[in-house]
Amino acid sequence: MSRLFCVIPCYNEQEVLPETSKRLKEKFESLIAAGKISEDSRVLFVNDGSKDETFNMIKKLHEEDKLFQGINLSKNMGHQNALLAGLMTAKDLCDMAISMDADLQDDIDAIDAMVDKFNNEGCDVVYGVRSKRVTDTFFKRFTAESYYKLIDSMGAKTVYNHADYRLMSRRALFALSEFGEVNLFLRGIVPMLGFKSDIVYYERAERFAGESKYPLKKMLSFAVEGITSLSTKPIKMITGLGFSIIFITLLVFIYSLVRYFTGHNDPGWTTIVMSVWFIGGLTIFSIGIIGEYIGKIYLETKNRPRFIIESYIGDEEDVEVSEYTYKR
């Protein structure tokens, strides 16, 4: 039987953690009883610099039941880095790992189908995909679906309506560890791995408790991160736009010469002012896009660590095996 690790990033999740741990315990017990996973499977919570009692609750859960393990990051590293920290720790310990959020919006019952596709069909990656978005507001549904279409049109291939609820095999995790970029967008990186993959559909529920960690400002920032991390098409679009403007400028120049030599030379202040503002705005916008890429190059060349693990709470043999354990 295969050993499963469920990796769950946590940031200020004290309100939802008791229910999440309860439901996961029931799910793991049923999977073990059905012979689908081994008895030494674990739930790995990753504390991403929480300011509440999240990490103390994780420690208490481990003391009460060895099913639960915990990683404490040295500071808040962000959702994607926290998720990667958990996956990179689990890759040395498991046969497969499932990543999900702590807020119980991801349907825990979908784990059964994911595990079946790994055990019975040999899938290395299984994506949890939302079948519908009835729990979202119209604005969130419209912006989310538009974003997936936009990022695909930019050349960055993702799985439509898939977030970070997925199963990855041990060899898929080791392949993921070969990607060293600092600017992480796992939804776009995982499809690059190849390997046999499949999809499990589920209905996403409302957040069980607590507040969303992705307000509009953070969602927009994440969207820009995804596009600029996976595609250079925006820069190519600027080049194409530049050639178009040069062509239009030549036409306007020819038009102006014709009017000059035919004696219809109007002052044309409005046209000049509009042209200056348009070109100026376009220039600043273009510099901004190029600046985004230069900034990412700057961060990548520094090669800073994407996460730092302060402590690992788990079985002694797991702590010894994990290469990401920082021993005091």
Side-chain angles (χ1 to χ4, degrees), residues 63-198:
E63 291 170 0
E64 295 174 350
D65 193 330
K66 67 177 183 179
L67 169 68
F68 301 106
Q69 297 189 350
I71 289 175
N72 189 35
L73 301 185
S74 61
K75 60 184 286 292
N76 179 253
M77 298 289 184
H79 178 272
Q80 295 290 280
N81 289 319
L83 179 55
L84 184 70
L87 292 174
M88 292 299 97
T89 300
K91 75 174 176 37
D92 301 303
L93 309 170
C94 70
D95 298 299
M96 56 180 161
I98 291 179
S99 58
M100 62 183 297
D101 292 335
D103 55 17
L104 293 176
Q105 287 188 286
D106 297 326
D107 183 11
I108 290 178
D109 288 332
I111 292 177
D112 296 71
M114 290 182 175
V115 171
D116 285 342
K117 287 187 177 295
F118 172 83
N119 286 332
N120 304 329
E121 300 178 25
C123 292
D124 286 286
V125 181
V126 183
Y127 301 100
V129 175
R130 299 179 65 164
S131 56
K132 57 183 83 171
R133 286 182 171 269
V134 293
T135 58
D136 289 347
T137 62
F138 171 78
F139 176 76
K140 186 172 183 180
R141 182 167 59 251
F142 174 76
T143 53
E145 292 178 350
S146 298
Y147 167 67
Y148 283 109
K149 294 175 182 176
L150 173 63
I151 197 169
D152 279 349
S153 69
M154 289 292 176
K157 299 304 178 184
T158 59
V159 177
Y160 188 72
N161 270 340
H162 164 70
D164 289 302
Y165 189 24
R166 70 179 74 88
L167 178 147
M168 298 180 69
S169 68
R170 180 183 176 91
R171 70 170 178 171
L173 291 172
F174 271 90
L176 178 62
S177 69
E178 297 296 319
F179 287 73
E181 52 248 63
V182 174
N183 302 286
L184 274 179
F185 188 70
L186 294 174
R187 301 178 195 184
I189 294 176
V190 173
M192 294 181 186
L193 301 179
F195 300 126
K196 184 177 180 180
S197 62
D198 206 340

Side-chain angles (χ1 to χ4, degrees), residues 214-285:
Y214 272 91
L216 179 60
K217 183 178 178 181
K218 199 168 182 180
M219 286 179 65
L220 290 174
S221 176
F222 190 57
V224 172
E225 180 77 32
I227 293 172
T228 54
S229 294
L230 299 173
S231 173
T232 58
K233 198 168 183 178
I235 292 181
K236 295 177 182 177
M237 291 173 62
I238 291 175
T239 304
L241 189 58
F243 280 115
S244 300
I245 291 174
I246 291 173
F247 178 71
I248 294 171
T249 303
L250 288 174
L251 294 178
V252 172
F253 178 70
I254 294 170
Y255 173 75
S256 300
L257 286 177
V258 171
R259 289 190 57 87
Y260 176 79
F261 286 113
T262 56
H264 299 88
N265 188 24
D266 299 325
W269 288 105
T270 303
T271 305
I272 293 173
V273 170
M274 288 179 64
S275 299
V276 169
W277 277 95
F278 175 72
I279 298 298
L282 181 62
T283 301
I284 294 173
F285 176 71

Side-chain angles (χ1 to χ4, degrees), residues 9-16 48 50-52 54 76 78-79 101-103 105 140 204 207 209-219 222:
C10 301
Y11 178 68
N12 295 339
E13 299 289 1
Q14 64 178 15
E15 294 180 50
V16 73
D48 186 23
S50 298
K51 298 177 181 178
D52 59 5
T54 295
N76 179 253
H79 178 272
D101 292 335
D103 55 17
Q105 287 188 286
K140 186 172 183 180
R204 191 168 170 87
R207 185 180 177 86
E211 299 179 354
S212 172
K213 306 304 184 295
Y214 272 91
L216 179 60
K217 183 178 178 181
K218 199 168 182 180
M219 286 179 65
F222 190 57

